[in-house]
């Protein structure tokens, strides 16, 4: 089941500043447009590496889960990892069957496919997202 | 310059327990043998995803940098990300030329090629490793 490491979610107080760093310091050339994901309380921007992505996350308002993360880590930092799965409902059932707590129901994630999050306490302290692999031709 | 996301470094109090979770809960099938890297104070085990790797890190003794991380995060969690670069000395010079603090001199990392670490304060709060891409035929 362990699919592609789709992305590493990285919290930042400023997507603009982070994008400038990835572009000007780290030499990233494939950087998407930032967009709001109000249902998750975040503004999002994907930076491509040749094999994966960094998902930059900036809080949309003080209630954002990213705002709480930034209170503890003002500079930002690694927030979650995301693995692909072929079927989100099958993955949820399989994980729950193995005692993993899933936070809420599947919802549409930043790539437009359904995602779930597993509780860090059941994942070695690491907030872990699972996303259904985009179909061919999709983003 | 932004190369492959070679791996996400994940601290754990027990590589054995973490390997069991990746294998039995997450369905990983490509899991390397754990080995000690005394120069960095860590025991290491790589778990492959189809496109990248998770690098499990367990402290070798109380002086290990991972021991300090686990004091703050007893369950473990994301410790660093690692991007590949074609030439470690060129990368170090380029990063330093852009004001990024590099922690020490290049040393041989877990993949047998030279690595450097950039200071989290210059990398949006994220400890960032750069490793020279292994040559064809190498590990």
């Amino acid at each position: 089941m362990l699919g592609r490491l789709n992305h590493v979610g990285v919290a930042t107080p400023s997507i603009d500043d982070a994008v400038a760093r990835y572009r000007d310091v780290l030499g990233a050339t494939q950087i998407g447009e930032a967009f709001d994901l109000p249902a998750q309380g975040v503004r999002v921007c994907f930076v491509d590496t040749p094999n994966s992505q960094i998902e930059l996350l900036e809080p949309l308002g003080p209630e954002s889960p990213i705002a709480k993360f930034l209170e503890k880590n003002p500079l930002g930092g690694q927030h979650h990892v995301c693995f692909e799965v072929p079927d989100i409902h099958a993955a949820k059932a399989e994980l729950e069957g193995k005692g993993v707590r899933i936070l809420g129901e599947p919802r549409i994630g930043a790539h437009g496919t359904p995602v779930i999050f597993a509780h860090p306490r059941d994942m070695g302290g690491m907030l872990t997202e699972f996303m259904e692999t985009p179909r061919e031709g999709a983003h």
Side-chain angles (χ1 to χ4, degrees), chain A:
Chain A
M1 170 176 139
L2 189 65
R4 293 181 73 252
L5 178 64
N6 182 276
H7 63 260
V8 177
V10 175
T12 176
S14 164
I15 281 183
D16 287 348
D17 290 351
V19 162
R21 187 171 52 251
Y22 277 92
R23 184 189 60 220
D24 301 336
V25 178
L26 294 176
T29 54
Q30 302 290 319
I31 302 177
E33 290 292 322
F35 60 98
D36 292 351
L37 207 61
Q40 300 198 20
V42 291
R43 185 165 174 79
V44 180
C45 179
F46 285 102
V47 178
D48 292 359
T49 72
N51 63 324
S52 190
Q53 293 181 306
I54 300 295
E55 179 188 44
L56 298 171
L57 298 164
E58 180 185 308
L60 277 183
E63 294 307 309
S64 170
I66 299 301
K68 293 174 183 62
F69 182 94
L70 291 175
E71 279 175 25
K72 294 183 192 164
N73 308 276
L75 295 171
Q78 294 183 74
H79 179 263
H80 69 270
V81 295
C82 176
F83 298 113
E84 292 183 20
V85 294
D87 181 305
I88 204 73
H89 295 284
K92 180 171 186 283
E94 186 177 344
L95 289 163
E96 288 180 334
K98 290 174 176 170
V100 174
R101 284 163 288 183
I102 301 299
L103 304 166
E105 291 300 312
R107 55 182 184 270
I108 299 300
H111 281 297
T113 68
V115 304
I116 53 176
F117 285 86
H119 199 298
R121 287 200 166 269
D122 298 331
M123 287 284 131
M126 189 163 68
L127 180 61
T128 306
E129 179 181 8
F130 299 89
M131 68 170 268
E132 210 167 271
T133 303
R135 302 279 176 267
E136 284 292 322
H139 179 67

